[in-house]
């Protein structure tokens, strides 16, 4: 449902020794007819955005990797805005693999999300894989209005099969009505602060993920802190939000843990 009046712009960047700069932008808007339109759907270089079949009032977008990366020196940025009353779900067609590149220095991948009152965003990309020799810094910043809703999943896999991981630093910040409900950073791999692979952090596992769920009703009825089997937990945050954290030996088990934890949360 919803108008398909999106402005889709695809550009191609050539990878150079200095790395690639790539920007993708999404704007979702209530179309006034019970659906969600996408007036802005822009992408360039390694990032390509594609609208897929809508479900009910929700618009759906797929992020497709048009080139390998991010490589050393690359800087990718994704910006998404959900306007008042709109509903948007964003996924990715495949895992993102951080790779070493010809350019020196770290690669960056920045995600900036903004959800207005009565808007809803499901941000559900596939795993990020940190390949040996890579160096990637990922930041995700989410700004939510007081009555906005969010389901955000992050999954990181340290190394491909049979290899050591690269260095991966990930920072996630979520703010509701201007107040921070979550601000955390995890650094793993060569050069990261000591202890990242110890019992207090990953405990030898190579897949780590989290799921952030924000619902206005959580302010009055916070979720209960719960341990879900081996490797997963749910905790209430200081606001209308809950955080699921999980570690696992591989990506398949990690996804299963996060899905089971999400299913255990109260439905409204």
């Amino acid at each position: 449902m919803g108008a398909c009046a999106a402005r889709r712009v695809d550009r191609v960047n050539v990878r150079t020794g200095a790395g690639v700069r790539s920007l993708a932008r999404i704007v979702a808007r209530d179309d006034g007819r019970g659906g969600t339109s996408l007036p802005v759907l822009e992408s360039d270089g390694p990032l390509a955005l594609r609208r897929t079949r809508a479900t009910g009032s929700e618009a759906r977008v797929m992020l497709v990797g048009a080139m390998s990366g991010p490589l050393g020196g690359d800087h990718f940025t994704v910006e998404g805005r959900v306007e008042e009353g709109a509903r948007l779900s964003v996924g990715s067609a495949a895992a993102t693999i951080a790779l070493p590149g010809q350019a020196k220095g770290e690669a960056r991948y920045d995600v900036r999300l903004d959800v207005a009152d009565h808007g809803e965003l499901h941000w559900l990309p596939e795993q990020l894989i940190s390949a040996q020799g890579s160096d990637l810094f990922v930041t995700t910043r989410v700004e939510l209005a007081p009555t906005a809703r969010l389901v955000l999943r992050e999954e990181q896999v340290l190394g491909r099969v049979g290899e050591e991981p690269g260095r991966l630093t990930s920072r996630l910040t979520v703010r509701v009505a201007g107040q921070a409900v979550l601000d955390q950073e995890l650094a793993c791999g060569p050069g990261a602060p000591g202890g990242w692979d110890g019992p207090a952090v990953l405990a030898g596992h190579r897949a780590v993920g989290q799921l952030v769920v924000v619902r206005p009703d959580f302010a009055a009825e916070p979720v209960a802190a719960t341990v879900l089997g081996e490797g997963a937990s749910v905790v209430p945050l200081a606001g209308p939000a809950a955080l699921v954290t999980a570690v696992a030996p591989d990506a398949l088990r990690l996804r299963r843990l996060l899905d089971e934890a999400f299913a255990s949360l109260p439905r409204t």
Side-chain angles (χ1 to χ4, degrees), residues 84-163:
E84 186 170 356
R87 299 182 65 223
L88 175 65
S89 178
V90 180
S92 58
T96 297
I97 304 178
L99 297 164
Q102 294 180 349
K104 300 297 183 182
E106 70 180 11
R108 292 189 60 94
Y109 200 132
D110 297 324
V111 178
R112 303 290 179 262
L113 306 173
D114 189 345
V115 186
D117 273 318
H118 306 292
E120 183 169 350
L121 173 63
H122 289 205
W123 190 264
L124 303 169
E126 294 301 310
Q127 297 89 358
L128 171 62
I129 301 173
S130 175
Q132 187 172 17
S134 64
D135 186 357
L136 178 63
F137 185 33
V138 182
T139 64
T140 302
R141 297 178 185 172
V142 188
E143 293 284 345
L144 301 167
T147 58
R149 290 171 170 255
L150 173 73
V151 178
L152 182 147
R153 182 182 68 212
E154 285 192 343
E155 298 169 311
Q156 289 107 23
V157 179
L158 305 180
R160 293 170 292 190
V161 176
E163 74 172 8

Coordinates of all heavy atoms in Angstrom, one line a residue, residues 84-163:
E84 N 6.0 11.7 10.9 CA 4.9 11.4 11.8 C 3.9 10.5 11.2 O 3.4 10.7 10.1 CB 4.2 12.7 12.2 CG 3.2 12.5 13.3 CD 2.6 13.9 13.9 OE1 3.2 14.9 13.5 OE2 1.7 13.8 14.7
G85 N 3.6 9.4 11.9 CA 2.6 8.5 11.5 C 3.0 7.5 10.5 O 2.2 6.6 10.1
A86 N 4.2 7.6 10.0 CA 4.7 6.6 8.9 C 5.3 5.4 9.6 O 5.7 5.4 10.7 CB 5.8 7.3 8.0
R87 N 5.4 4.3 8.8 CA 6.0 3.0 9.2 C 6.9 2.5 8.2 O 6.6 2.4 7.0 CB 4.9 2.0 9.5 CG 3.9 2.4 10.6 CD 2.9 1.3 10.8 NE 3.5 0.1 11.4 CZ 3.3 -1.1 11.0 NH1 2.4 -1.4 10.0 NH2 3.9 -2.2 11.5
L88 N 8.1 2.2 8.6 CA 9.2 1.8 7.7 C 10.0 0.6 8.3 O 10.3 0.5 9.4 CB 10.2 2.9 7.5 CG 11.4 2.7 6.6 CD1 11.0 2.3 5.2 CD2 12.4 3.8 6.7
S89 N 10.3 -0.4 7.4 CA 11.1 -1.5 7.7 C 12.3 -1.5 6.7 O 12.1 -1.5 5.5 CB 10.3 -2.8 7.6 OG 11.2 -3.9 7.9
V90 N 13.5 -1.6 7.3 CA 14.7 -1.6 6.4 C 15.5 -2.9 6.7 O 15.8 -3.1 7.9 CB 15.6 -0.4 6.7 CG1 16.8 -0.4 5.8 CG2 14.8 0.9 6.4
G91 N 15.9 -3.6 5.7 CA 16.7 -4.8 5.8 C 17.9 -4.7 4.8 O 18.0 -3.7 4.1
S92 N 18.7 -5.7 4.8 CA 19.8 -5.7 3.8 C 19.7 -7.1 3.1 O 19.3 -8.1 3.6 CB 21.1 -5.5 4.4 OG 21.4 -6.5 5.5
A93 N 20.2 -7.1 1.9 CA 20.1 -8.3 1.0 C 21.1 -9.4 1.4 O 20.9 -10.5 1.2 CB 20.3 -7.9 -0.4
A94 N 22.2 -9.0 2.1 CA 23.3 -9.9 2.5 C 24.1 -9.3 3.6 O 23.9 -8.1 3.9 CB 24.2 -10.3 1.3
A95 N 25.0 -10.1 4.2 CA 25.8 -9.6 5.2 C 26.8 -8.6 4.6 O 27.1 -8.6 3.5 CB 26.6 -10.8 5.8
T96 N 27.2 -7.6 5.5 CA 28.2 -6.7 5.1 C 29.6 -7.2 5.6 O 29.7 -7.6 6.8 CB 28.0 -5.3 5.8 OG1 26.7 -4.8 5.3 CG2 29.1 -4.3 5.5
I97 N 30.6 -7.2 4.8 CA 31.9 -7.7 5.1 C 32.9 -6.6 5.1 O 33.2 -6.0 4.1 CB 32.4 -8.8 4.2 CG1 31.3 -9.9 4.1 CG2 33.7 -9.4 4.6 CD1 31.7 -11.1 3.1
A98 N 33.5 -6.3 6.3 CA 34.6 -5.3 6.4 C 35.9 -6.0 6.0 O 36.2 -7.1 6.5 CB 34.7 -4.8 7.8
L99 N 36.6 -5.4 5.0 CA 37.8 -6.0 4.4 C 39.0 -5.0 4.5 O 38.8 -3.8 4.6 CB 37.5 -6.3 3.0 CG 36.4 -7.4 2.7 CD1 36.0 -7.3 1.2 CD2 36.9 -8.8 3.1
P100 N 40.2 -5.5 4.5 CA 41.3 -4.6 4.4 C 41.4 -4.0 3.0 O 40.9 -4.6 2.1 CB 42.5 -5.6 4.7 CG 42.0 -6.9 4.3 CD 40.6 -7.0 4.6
G101 N 41.9 -2.8 2.9 CA 42.0 -2.1 1.7 C 43.4 -1.6 1.4 O 44.3 -1.7 2.2
Q102 N 43.5 -1.0 0.2 CA 44.8 -0.4 -0.1 C 45.1 0.9 0.7 O 46.2 1.2 1.0 CB 44.9 -0.1 -1.6 CG 44.8 -1.3 -2.5 CD 44.8 -0.9 -4.0 OE1 44.7 0.3 -4.4 NE2 45.0 -1.9 -4.9
A103 N 44.0 1.6 1.0 CA 44.2 2.8 1.8 C 44.5 2.5 3.2 O 44.0 1.5 3.8 CB 42.9 3.7 1.7
K104 N 45.3 3.3 3.8 CA 45.7 3.1 5.2 C 44.5 3.7 6.1 O 43.8 4.6 5.7 CB 47.0 3.8 5.6 CG 48.2 3.2 4.8 CD 48.4 1.8 5.1 CE 49.6 1.2 4.3 NZ 49.8 -0.2 4.6
G105 N 44.5 3.3 7.3 CA 43.5 3.8 8.3 C 42.2 3.0 8.3 O 42.0 2.1 7.5
E106 N 41.4 3.4 9.2 CA 40.1 2.6 9.5 C 39.1 3.0 8.4 O 39.1 4.1 7.8 CB 39.6 2.9 10.9 CG 39.1 4.3 11.1 CD 38.6 4.6 12.5 OE1 38.8 3.7 13.3 OE2 37.9 5.6 12.7
A107 N 38.2 2.1 8.2 CA 36.9 2.4 7.5 C 35.9 2.9 8.5 O 35.9 2.5 9.7 CB 36.5 1.2 6.7
R108 N 34.9 3.6 8.0 CA 33.8 4.1 8.8 C 32.5 3.7 8.2 O 32.3 3.8 7.0 CB 33.9 5.6 9.1 CG 35.0 6.1 9.9 CD 34.9 7.5 10.3 NE 33.7 7.8 11.0 CZ 33.6 7.8 12.4 NH1 34.7 7.6 13.1 NH2 32.5 8.1 13.0
Y109 N 31.5 3.4 9.1 CA 30.1 3.1 8.6 C 29.2 3.8 9.6 O 29.1 3.4 10.8 CB 29.9 1.6 8.6 CG 28.7 1.2 7.7 CD1 28.8 0.2 6.8 CD2 27.5 1.8 7.8 CE1 27.8 -0.2 6.0 CE2 26.4 1.4 7.0 CZ 26.6 0.4 6.1 OH 25.5 0.0 5.3
D110 N 28.6 4.9 9.2 CA 27.7 5.7 10.1 C 26.3 5.5 9.7 O 25.9 5.7 8.5 CB 28.1 7.2 10.0 CG 29.5 7.4 10.5 OD1 30.0 6.7 11.5 OD2 30.2 8.3 9.9
V111 N 25.4 5.3 10.7 CA 24.0 5.2 10.5 C 23.3 6.2 11.4 O 23.6 6.3 12.6 CB 23.5 3.8 10.9 CG1 21.9 3.7 10.7 CG2 24.1 2.7 10.0
R112 N 22.5 7.1 10.8 CA 21.8 8.1 11.5 C 20.3 8.0 11.2 O 19.8 8.1 10.1 CB 22.2 9.5 11.0 CG 23.7 9.7 11.1 CD 24.1 9.9 12.5 NE 25.6 10.1 12.7 CZ 26.4 9.1 13.0 NH1 26.0 7.9 13.1 NH2 27.7 9.4 13.1
L113 N 19.5 7.8 12.3 CA 18.1 7.5 12.2 C 17.3 8.4 13.0 O 17.7 8.8 14.1 CB 17.8 6.0 12.6 CG 18.6 4.9 11.9 CD1 18.4 3.6 12.6 CD2 18.3 4.9 10.4
D114 N 16.1 8.8 12.5 CA 15.3 9.8 13.2 C 13.8 9.4 13.0 O 13.4 9.2 11.8 CB 15.5 11.2 12.6 CG 14.8 12.3 13.3 OD1 14.0 12.0 14.2 OD2 15.2 13.5 13.1
V115 N 13.1 9.2 14.1 CA 11.7 8.8 14.0 C 10.8 9.8 14.8 O 11.0 10.1 15.9 CB 11.5 7.4 14.6 CG1 10.1 6.9 14.4 CG2 12.5 6.4 14.0
A116 N 9.8 10.3 14.0 CA 8.9 11.3 14.6 C 7.8 10.7 15.4 O 7.6 9.4 15.5 CB 8.3 12.2 13.5
D117 N 7.0 11.5 16.1 CA 5.9 11.0 16.9 C 4.9 10.1 16.1 O 4.6 10.4 14.9 CB 5.0 12.2 17.4 CG 5.6 12.7 18.7 OD1 6.0 11.9 19.6 OD2 5.7 13.9 18.9
H118 N 4.6 9.0 16.7 CA 3.7 8.0 16.1 C 4.3 7.3 14.9 O 3.5 6.6 14.2 CB 2.3 8.6 15.8 CG 1.7 9.3 17.0 ND1 1.2 8.6 18.1 CD2 1.5 10.6 17.2 CE1 0.7 9.5 18.9 NE2 0.8 10.7 18.5
G119 N 5.5 7.5 14.6 CA 6.2 6.8 13.6 C 6.8 5.5 14.1 O 7.0 5.3 15.3
E120 N 7.1 4.6 13.2 CA 7.6 3.3 13.6 C 8.7 2.8 12.6 O 8.5 2.9 11.4 CB 6.5 2.2 13.7 CG 7.0 0.9 14.2 CD 5.9 -0.1 14.5 OE1 4.7 0.4 14.5 OE2 6.2 -1.3 14.8
L121 N 9.9 2.4 13.2 CA 11.0 2.0 12.4 C 11.4 0.6 12.8 O 11.7 0.4 14.0 CB 12.1 3.0 12.5 CG 13.4 2.6 11.8 CD1 13.3 2.4 10.3 CD2 14.5 3.6 12.1
H122 N 11.6 -0.3 11.9 CA 12.2 -1.6 12.1 C 13.5 -1.6 11.3 O 13.5 -1.6 10.1 CB 11.3 -2.8 11.7 CG 10.2 -3.0 12.6 ND1 9.5 -4.2 12.7 CD2 9.5 -2.2 13.4 CE1 8.5 -4.1 13.5 NE2 8.5 -2.9 14.0
W123 N 14.6 -1.6 12.0 CA 16.0 -1.5 11.4 C 16.6 -2.9 11.6 O 17.1 -3.2 12.6 CB 16.8 -0.4 12.0 CG 18.1 -0.1 11.2 CD1 19.3 -0.6 11.5 CD2 18.2 0.7 10.0 NE1 20.2 -0.1 10.6 CE2 19.6 0.7 9.7 CE3 17.3 1.5 9.3 CZ2 20.0 1.4 8.6 CZ3 17.8 2.2 8.2 CH2 19.1 2.1 7.9
L124 N 16.6 -3.7 10.5 CA 17.0 -5.1 10.7 C 18.0 -5.6 9.6 O 17.6 -6.4 8.8 CB 15.7 -6.0 10.6 CG 14.6 -5.6 11.7 CD1 13.3 -6.4 11.3 CD2 15.1 -5.9 13.1
P125 N 19.2 -5.0 9.6 CA 20.1 -5.5 8.6 C 20.7 -6.9 8.9 O 20.5 -7.4 10.0 CB 21.2 -4.4 8.7 CG 21.2 -4.0 10.2 CD 19.7 -4.0 10.5
E126 N 21.3 -7.5 7.9 CA 22.0 -8.7 8.1 C 23.3 -8.5 8.9 O 23.7 -7.3 9.2 CB 22.3 -9.4 6.8 CG 21.0 -9.9 6.1 CD 20.2 -10.8 6.9 OE1 20.8 -11.8 7.4 OE2 19.0 -10.6 7.1
Q127 N 24.1 -9.5 9.2 CA 25.3 -9.4 10.0 C 26.4 -8.6 9.4 O 26.5 -8.5 8.2 CB 25.8 -10.8 10.3 CG 24.9 -11.8 11.1 CD 24.0 -12.6 10.2 OE1 24.0 -12.4 9.0 NE2 23.2 -13.4 10.8
L128 N 27.2 -8.0 10.3 CA 28.4 -7.4 9.9 C 29.6 -8.3 10.2 O 29.7 -8.7 11.4 CB 28.6 -6.0 10.6 CG 29.9 -5.3 10.5 CD1 30.2 -5.0 9.0 CD2 30.0 -4.1 11.4
I129 N 30.4 -8.7 9.2 CA 31.4 -9.6 9.4 C 32.8 -8.9 9.4 O 33.1 -8.2 8.4 CB 31.4 -10.7 8.3 CG1 30.1 -11.5 8.4 CG2 32.6 -11.7 8.5 CD1 29.9 -12.5 7.3
S130 N 33.6 -9.0 10.4 CA 34.9 -8.4 10.5 C 35.9 -9.3 10.0 O 36.3 -10.2 10.7 CB 35.1 -7.9 11.9 OG 36.4 -7.4 12.1
A131 N 36.4 -9.2 8.7 CA 37.4 -10.1 8.2 C 38.8 -9.7 8.7 O 39.1 -8.6 9.1 CB 37.4 -10.0 6.6
Q132 N 39.7 -10.7 8.7 CA 41.0 -10.5 9.1 C 41.7 -9.4 8.4 O 41.7 -9.3 7.2 CB 41.8 -11.8 8.9 CG 43.2 -11.8 9.6 CD 43.9 -13.2 9.5 OE1 43.5 -14.1 8.8 NE2 44.9 -13.4 10.3
G133 N 42.4 -8.5 9.1 CA 43.1 -7.4 8.6 C 42.3 -6.2 8.4 O 42.9 -5.1 8.0
S134 N 41.0 -6.2 8.6 CA 40.2 -5.0 8.4 C 40.2 -4.2 9.7 O 40.6 -4.6 10.8 CB 38.7 -5.4 8.1 OG 38.1 -6.2 9.2
D135 N 39.7 -2.9 9.6 CA 39.7 -2.0 10.7 C 38.5 -1.1 10.5 O 38.5 -0.2 9.6 CB 40.9 -1.2 10.8 CG 41.0 -0.3 12.0 OD1 40.0 -0.3 12.8 OD2 42.0 0.4 12.2
L136 N 37.4 -1.4 11.2 CA 36.1 -0.7 10.9 C 35.6 -0.1 12.2 O 35.6 -0.7 13.3 CB 35.1 -1.6 10.4 CG 33.7 -1.1 10.1 CD1 33.7 0.0 9.0 CD2 32.7 -2.2 9.7
F137 N 35.1 1.2 12.1 CA 34.4 1.9 13.2 C 33.0 2.2 12.8 O 32.8 2.9 11.8 CB 35.2 3.2 13.5 CG 34.6 3.9 14.7 CD1 34.1 3.2 15.8 CD2 34.7 5.3 14.8 CE1 33.6 3.9 16.9 CE2 34.2 6.0 15.9 CZ 33.6 5.3 17.0
V138 N 32.1 1.6 13.5 CA 30.6 1.7 13.1 C 30.0 2.6 14.2 O 30.1 2.3 15.4 CB 29.9 0.3 13.1 CG1 28.5 0.5 12.7 CG2 30.6 -0.6 12.1
T139 N 29.2 3.5 13.8 CA 28.4 4.3 14.8 C 26.9 4.3 14.3 O 26.6 4.5 13.1 CB 28.9 5.8 14.9 OG1 28.7 6.5 13.6 CG2 30.3 5.8 15.3
T140 N 26.0 4.1 15.2 CA 24.6 4.1 15.0 C 24.0 5.1 16.0 O 24.1 4.9 17.2 CB 24.0 2.7 15.1 OG1 24.6 1.8 14.2 CG2 22.5 2.8 14.8
R141 N 23.3 6.1 15.5 CA 22.7 7.1 16.4 C 21.2 7.2 16.0 O 20.9 7.5 14.8 CB 23.4 8.5 16.3 CG 24.8 8.5 16.7 CD 25.4 9.8 16.5 NE 26.9 9.8 16.8 CZ 27.7 10.8 16.6 NH1 27.2 12.0 16.1 NH2 29.0 10.7 16.9
V142 N 20.4 7.1 17.0 CA 18.9 7.1 16.8 C 18.3 8.1 17.7 O 18.5 8.2 18.9 CB 18.3 5.7 17.1 CG1 16.8 5.7 16.7 CG2 19.1 4.6 16.5
E143 N 17.5 9.0 17.0 CA 16.7 10.0 17.7 C 15.2 9.7 17.6 O 14.7 9.6 16.5 CB 17.0 11.4 17.2 CG 18.4 11.9 17.4 CD 18.7 12.4 18.8 OE1 17.6 12.6 19.6 OE2 19.8 12.6 19.2
L144 N 14.5 9.5 18.7 CA 13.1 9.2 18.7 C 12.3 10.2 19.4 O 12.7 10.7 20.5 CB 12.9 7.8 19.4 CG 13.7 6.6 18.8 CD1 13.6 5.5 19.8 CD2 13.1 6.2 17.5
A145 N 11.1 10.6 18.8 CA 10.2 11.4 19.5 C 9.5 10.6 20.6 O 9.6 9.4 20.7 CB 9.1 11.9 18.5
P146 N 8.8 11.3 21.5 CA 8.2 10.6 22.7 C 7.3 9.4 22.4 O 7.3 8.4 23.1 CB 7.5 11.7 23.4 CG 8.2 13.0 23.1 CD 8.6 12.8 21.6
T147 N 6.5 9.5 21.3 CA 5.6 8.4 21.0 C 6.1 7.5 19.8 O 5.3 6.7 19.3 CB 4.2 8.9 20.7 OG1 4.3 9.8 19.5 CG2 3.6 9.7 21.9
A148 N 7.4 7.7 19.4 CA 7.9 6.8 18.4 C 8.2 5.4 18.8 O 8.3 5.2 20.0 CB 9.2 7.5 17.8
R149 N 8.2 4.5 17.9 CA 8.5 3.1 18.1 C 9.7 2.6 17.3 O 9.9 3.1 16.2 CB 7.3 2.2 17.8 CG 6.1 2.4 18.7 CD 4.9 1.7 18.2 NE 3.9 1.6 19.2 CZ 3.5 0.6 20.0 NH1 4.2 -0.6 19.8 NH2 2.6 0.7 20.9
L150 N 10.5 1.7 17.9 CA 11.7 1.3 17.2 C 12.0 -0.2 17.6 O 11.8 -0.6 18.7 CB 12.9 2.1 17.7 CG 14.3 1.6 17.3 CD1 14.5 2.0 15.8 CD2 15.4 2.2 18.1
V151 N 12.4 -0.9 16.5 CA 13.0 -2.3 16.7 C 14.3 -2.2 15.9 O 14.3 -2.1 14.7 CB 12.1 -3.4 16.2 CG1 12.9 -4.7 16.4 CG2 10.8 -3.4 16.9
L152 N 15.4 -2.3 16.6 CA 16.7 -2.2 15.9 C 17.6 -3.4 16.3 O 17.8 -3.7 17.5 CB 17.4 -0.9 16.3 CG 18.8 -0.6 15.7 CD1 19.0 0.9 15.5 CD2 19.9 -1.1 16.6
R153 N 18.1 -4.0 15.3 CA 19.0 -5.2 15.5 C 20.4 -4.9 15.0 O 20.6 -4.4 13.9 CB 18.4 -6.4 14.8 CG 19.2 -7.7 15.0 CD 18.6 -8.9 14.3 NE 18.7 -8.7 12.8 CZ 17.8 -9.1 11.9 NH1 16.7 -9.7 12.3 NH2 18.0 -8.9 10.6
E154 N 21.4 -5.3 15.8 CA 22.8 -5.3 15.3 C 23.4 -6.6 15.6 O 23.3 -7.2 16.7 CB 23.6 -4.2 16.1 CG 23.3 -2.8 15.6 CD 24.4 -1.8 16.2 OE1 25.1 -2.2 17.2 OE2 24.5 -0.7 15.7
E155 N 24.1 -7.1 14.6 CA 24.8 -8.4 14.8 C 26.2 -8.3 14.2 O 26.4 -7.8 13.0 CB 24.1 -9.5 14.0 CG 22.6 -9.8 14.6 CD 21.8 -10.7 13.7 OE1 21.8 -10.4 12.4 OE2 21.3 -11.7 14.2
Q156 N 27.2 -8.7 14.9 CA 28.6 -8.7 14.5 C 29.2 -10.1 14.6 O 29.0 -10.8 15.6 CB 29.4 -7.7 15.3 CG 29.1 -6.2 15.0 CD 28.3 -5.6 16.2 OE1 28.4 -6.0 17.3 NE2 27.6 -4.5 15.8
V157 N 29.9 -10.5 13.5 CA 30.6 -11.8 13.5 C 32.1 -11.5 13.3 O 32.5 -10.8 12.4 CB 30.1 -12.6 12.3 CG1 30.8 -14.0 12.3 CG2 28.6 -12.9 12.5
L158 N 32.9 -12.0 14.2 CA 34.3 -11.7 14.3 C 35.1 -12.8 13.5 O 35.4 -13.9 14.0 CB 34.8 -11.7 15.7 CG 34.0 -10.7 16.6 CD1 34.6 -10.7 18.0 CD2 34.1 -9.3 16.0
G159 N 35.4 -12.4 12.2 CA 36.1 -13.3 11.4 C 35.3 -14.3 10.6 O 34.2 -14.7 11.0
R160 N 35.7 -14.6 9.4 CA 35.1 -15.6 8.6 C 35.5 -17.0 9.1 O 36.3 -17.1 10.0 CB 35.4 -15.4 7.1 CG 34.8 -14.1 6.5 CD 35.3 -13.8 5.2 NE 36.7 -13.4 5.2 CZ 37.4 -12.9 4.1 NH1 36.7 -12.7 3.0 NH2 38.6 -12.6 4.3
V161 N 35.0 -18.0 8.5 CA 35.3 -19.4 8.9 C 36.8 -19.6 8.9 O 37.5 -19.4 7.8 CB 34.6 -20.4 8.1 CG1 35.0 -21.8 8.5 CG2 33.1 -20.3 8.2
G162 N 37.4 -20.0 10.0 CA 38.8 -20.4 10.0 C 39.8 -19.2 10.0 O 41.0 -19.4 9.9
E163 N 39.3 -18.0 10.3 CA 40.3 -16.9 10.3 C 40.1 -16.0 11.6 O 39.0 -16.0 12.2 CB 40.1 -16.0 9.1 CG 38.9 -15.1 9.0 CD 38.9 -14.1 7.9 OE1 39.7 -14.2 7.0 OE2 38.0 -13.3 7.9

